[in-house]
Amino acid sequence: MDERAALALLADRLPAVGDDAAVVDGLVVTTDMLHEATDFPEGTTRETAGWRALGASLSDVAAMGADPVCAVAAYAAPGFDPAEIGAFLDGATGVCEAVDCEYVGGDLDEHDEFTVASTAVGRTDDPVRRAGARVGDAVCVTGTLGRSAAAFRLFEAGETARANDLYRFVPRVDAGRSLAPHATAMMDSSDGLARSLHQLAEASDVGFAVEYDALPVDDGVRAVARDAVDERALATTFGEDYELVVTLPEEALEATREAVDCGLTRVGVVTDSGVEMDGAALADEGWTHGR
Ligand SMILES: Nc1ncnc2c1ncn2[C@@H]1O[C@H](COP(=O)(O)OP(=O)(O)OP(=O)(O)O)[C@@H](O)[C@H]1O
Ligand SMILES: Cc1ncc(C[n+]2csc(CCOP(=O)(O)O)c2C)c(N)n1
Ligand SMILES: [Mg+2]
Ligand SMILES: [Mg+2]
Ligand SMILES: [Mg+2]
């Protein structure tokens, strides 16, 4: 059974699941596990790992339009090296400070594979869910797409300093907050734009029509892409972008765009059904654990 089948099984039993974070009594809560084999390519520093792990959970808080309150993380490694733990804490506290969140605790464990499990809590009276997109809404993305894909290629090429810089992303908390009053649906693009559109489409019972030329493809992607097909894959299916994918009424677009600090790009429109790019079906491709 792959991750998606397993998630469907969980959703059948737990009514609270199915969004980027669960909503409980004015709070949102979300957790993620990252580990060396899939999430931290060779050359990833412990500081970057701490930043990225907490960033992944803060990104889910942002995707609900919530204000981060606090975060914790469990750190497991084959041994406890003081320099490594110090660097991890620098990264964990660094990303939390960047979005005005308090890093307040965690757990230490000994484990063969370096692994971090992070949890973040946020606050909102009006969470933005994945369900709610309406036919005719604009669909937009924050920032740029494919930055992590570009970093991954740089790690492969041994250009670890630049790769680490690109890997330390700022979770889109400010953008989420600005988008929330107008957004009809929102999620973060941790599994790539293509999968995100499919997930929003399913949750909202709608479709999407987007244009590749409209996508804010990161300059780093253009620099590492082998050809046009590769560029498309890095920008749409590689994943780990941690940008926000959001739907909102066309008339709210202008004002919202000005309020979003990291850039907001209209990439297409909400339709009745089907997820299309440039008029052809866009496959539901992206990273899936347990394949
Ligand atoms: N072990 C689990 N027990 C209960 N619910 C789970 C479990 N794993 C995932 N879920 C729930 O399934 C839903 C989808 O999880 P998923 O990890 O795909 O979301 P995500 O946080 O947006 O993605 P990512 O892991 O890329 O950050 C979430 O609502 C999550 O709480
Ligand atoms: C060959 C290759 N290497 C790396 C990646 C990047 N990547 C995107 S999503 C993901 C896991 C996220 O897990 P989770 O969704 O649980 O946070 C990873 C590792 C890729 N797409 N292809
Ligand atoms: Mg998410
Ligand atoms: Mg998550
Ligand atoms: Mg997950």
Side-chain angles (χ1 to χ4, degrees):
M1 178 183 278
D2 75 7
E3 183 185 2
R4 284 190 294 169
L7 287 174
L9 196 144
L10 292 167
D12 278 348
R13 294 195 32 188
L14 301 171
V17 314
D19 222 306
D20 295 273
V23 179
V24 184
D25 217 7
L27 297 174
V28 301
V29 60
T30 180
T31 193
D32 290 280
M33 191 187 304
L34 275 63
H35 58 107
E36 197 135 45
T38 45
D39 302 292
F40 305 130
E42 199 182 330
T44 307
T45 65
R46 284 290 151 104
E47 182 180 355
T48 298
W51 181 291
R52 208 167 164 76
L54 275 297
S57 292
L58 291 166
S59 175
D60 284 320
V61 170
M64 304 304 291
D67 293 315
V69 175
C70 64
V72 296
Y75 172 107
F80 298 135
D81 177 301
E84 287 180 350
I85 292 179
F88 172 80
L89 277 182
D90 288 343
T93 54
V95 71
C96 285
E97 278 166 19
V99 297
D100 214 8
C101 177
E102 232 182 309
Y103 183 64
V104 290
D107 189 29
L108 292 173
D109 196 6
E110 211 177 339
H111 186 64
D112 289 345
E113 186 184 7
F114 172 51
T115 300
V116 185
S118 58
T119 298
V121 174
R123 187 178 283 124
T124 173
D125 292 326
D126 202 5
V128 186
R129 317 234 179 204
R130 292 180 182 182
R134 289 183 298 227
V135 177
D137 282 349
V139 56
C140 301
V141 298
T142 59
T144 63
L145 300 177
R147 196 185 43 239
S148 287
F152 188 82
R153 287 277 168 87
L154 293 174
F155 277 120
E156 282 183 328
E159 292 185 47
T160 53
R162 275 176 60 210
N164 274 286
D165 284 347
L166 280 178
Y167 244 31
R168 289 193 300 273
F169 66 96
V170 178
R172 298 308 190 190
V173 168
D174 281 347
R177 210 180 271 134
S178 301
L179 288 163
H182 308 285
T184 49
M186 187 156 67
M187 67 179 295
D188 73 335
S189 64
S190 57
D191 291 332
L193 178 68
R195 168 94 13 111
S196 300
L197 291 174
H198 278 274
Q199 287 174 318
L200 285 174
E202 192 185 343
S204 294
D205 194 20
V206 294
F208 289 100
V210 300
E211 305 294 327
Y212 183 76
D213 285 342
L215 303 188
V217 179
D218 197 272
D219 288 341
V221 169
R222 303 201 201 274
V224 302
R226 297 174 183 127
D227 53 37
V229 175
D230 189 41
E231 178 190 294
R232 217 172 240 257
L234 295 180
T236 59
T237 61
F238 184 95
E240 297 192 288
D241 289 323
Y242 300 111
E243 295 295 348
L244 299 178
V245 185
V246 58
T247 59
L248 68 180
E250 296 278 2
E251 57 272 19
L253 201 53
E254 266 330 295
T256 316
R257 195 182 268 138
E258 275 160 35
V260 172
D261 57 350
C262 57
L264 184 71
T265 307
R266 183 188 185 284
V267 299
V269 68
V270 179
T271 61
D272 273 333
S273 66
V275 178
E276 294 189 347
M277 184 176 278
D278 299 336
L282 178 67
D284 184 6
E285 276 173 30
W287 180 274
T288 310
H289 291 287
R291 288 168 301 179

